Amino acid sequence: MNLFSSKRKPRKSSEPVMLTTTTTPRADPPTFAQYDGNGFLVGGGVAIFHIATARVVICSAQDRRGTTYYFLPKGRRDAGEDSSRGAEREGYEESGYRNRLLPLPTTHRQPQAHPRVHAPPLTSEPVWMQLMPLGSRQYILYWYIAETLAPDLEKELETESGAAYKPPPTYPRNLSLRDRIKMEPDGYQPLHHENTGVDAEEQTYKSYLVSVDDAVTRLGESTVSADVVLKGWKGIQDRFAMEHAATFESPEAYAC
C-alpha cells in the first residue's frame, strides 16, 4: 500500500495506537553564548496532528542529488511576530495545512504567571529547542505541537488567493479533545491548501498525513523531528487520560 496515497484509509478512532519507542536525541548541556541583533534569527516549527485519525503532517523535498527527504514544517518568524504564531504560519506555508497550537500536559521549565493560580497542567510551550548555524548567524528554533482545524474554522479563515495569511484563534481553554473531535463529521479529511509556499523552493514541497509510526520512520529515528512527533502524540494521549480522570467517564469515550 502506498503510505502517502490520498486514498489511504484513516485509522478508526476506536482502534488502539502504540507509541513507537526510539532513543531520545542527545540534549546538549547549558552553555554561555551571546549575539548582537544582527547575529541571530529566531524561528519555529510544528508537528501538526489530525487527532481523530491519529495522523501527523510531514513534508518532503529533494536534495541536490535528487534524493527525497522528509521533515516537519518550520521557518523563521517575521519581525514583530510571536514565535508560536510564526510556527503556525510556517507550518501552513510549508505544508498547506492550517493549524493552531494544541495545549497539552507536556513538561517545561517556564514559571507560572504571578499571582500563582491553580490551573490544569496544559501548555503550548515548545517541546524542543535547537541551536543551528545559518551561514554566519545563529539560528534559534523552537518546536511546538499543533492540530489541524475543524471545517467551520477553515471556512472562517478562508481568504482570497494571494491575500495575507490570517492566523487562527487559539485553542479554546475549556474545549476537551473529545468535544474537539465531535466538531468534525465522520470521515472528515483536514483541508489541504495548494500553493501556500512563499518562494520557489517551498512551492516544490509535498506534504502527507501519515501515522505516528510512519512519520518516525520517514523522519529518521533518534532525530529531534521524530522526538517532537512522539512527544506530541504522548501529550495527546496524556490529555485524553487527564480528561477521563476528571470526568470519570468510560475510557473508551476518549480512545484516540
Side-chain angles (χ1 to χ4, degrees), residues 1-227:
M1 176 184 294
N2 182 355
L3 295 179
F4 305 114
S5 168
S6 60
K7 297 181 180 179
R8 185 182 181 213
K9 184 179 180 180
R11 185 191 65 83
K12 296 180 180 179
S13 60
S14 60
E15 296 175 1
V17 171
M18 299 299 293
L19 275 173
T20 299
T21 57
T22 189
T23 303
T24 299
R26 178 179 60 87
D28 293 315
T31 186
F32 287 99
Q34 49 276 325
Y35 309 93
D36 68 16
N38 194 44
F40 69 93
L41 304 97
V42 178
V46 280
I48 307 170
F49 287 88
H50 182 223
I51 302 172
T53 57
R55 293 181 295 167
V56 64
V57 175
I58 62 172
C59 300
S60 74
Q62 291 188 333
D63 61 21
R64 295 178 180 178
R65 297 175 296 179
T67 302
T68 300
Y69 64 94
Y70 298 88
F71 57 94
L72 296 178
K74 65 182 185 300
R76 295 166 290 180
R77 68 168 174 81
D78 293 335
E81 184 178 38
D82 182 81
S83 295
S84 58
R85 284 299 192 181
E88 291 173 338
R89 175 183 54 76
E90 286 289 344
Y92 169 65
E93 290 175 353
E94 292 200 352
S95 76
Y97 287 95
R98 290 191 185 275
N99 64 97
R100 62 181 174 186
L101 298 195
L102 182 63
L104 297 172
T106 53
T107 59
H108 62 90
R109 292 296 182 181
Q110 300 305 127
Q112 296 296 327
H114 184 80
R116 306 291 192 252
V117 295
H118 177 71
L122 300 177
T123 178
S124 296
E125 292 292 334
V127 297
W128 262 101
M129 185 271 282
Q130 289 180 283
L131 298 176
M132 299 177 289
L134 189 62
S136 61
R137 294 173 173 83
Q138 181 66 55
Y139 189 22
I140 304 167
L141 179 64
Y142 298 101
W143 286 105
Y144 299 88
I145 308 302
E147 65 144 0
T148 58
L149 303 185
D152 287 348
L153 189 51
E154 285 279 7
K155 292 181 181 179
E156 180 181 326
L157 296 174
E158 185 176 355
T159 58
E160 295 181 359
S161 178
Y165 168 77
K166 185 186 295 186
T170 58
Y171 190 95
R173 181 174 180 178
N174 297 321
L175 178 63
S176 71
L177 294 186
R178 185 187 63 173
D179 288 340
R180 166 63 188 85
I181 290 175
K182 289 180 178 179
M183 297 169 69
E184 302 178 3
D186 290 343
Y188 174 73
Q189 296 297 313
L191 184 60
H192 180 262
H193 301 265
E194 301 292 339
N195 303 316
T196 55
V198 298
D199 57 36
E201 180 181 355
E202 289 185 359
Q203 289 288 348
T204 67
Y205 294 168
K206 298 179 180 179
S207 58
Y208 320 89
L209 265 171
V210 302
S211 71
V212 171
D213 282 341
D214 292 344
V216 169
T217 299
R218 298 286 175 170
L219 294 169
E221 294 186 7
S222 301
T223 63
V224 168
S225 294
D227 197 62

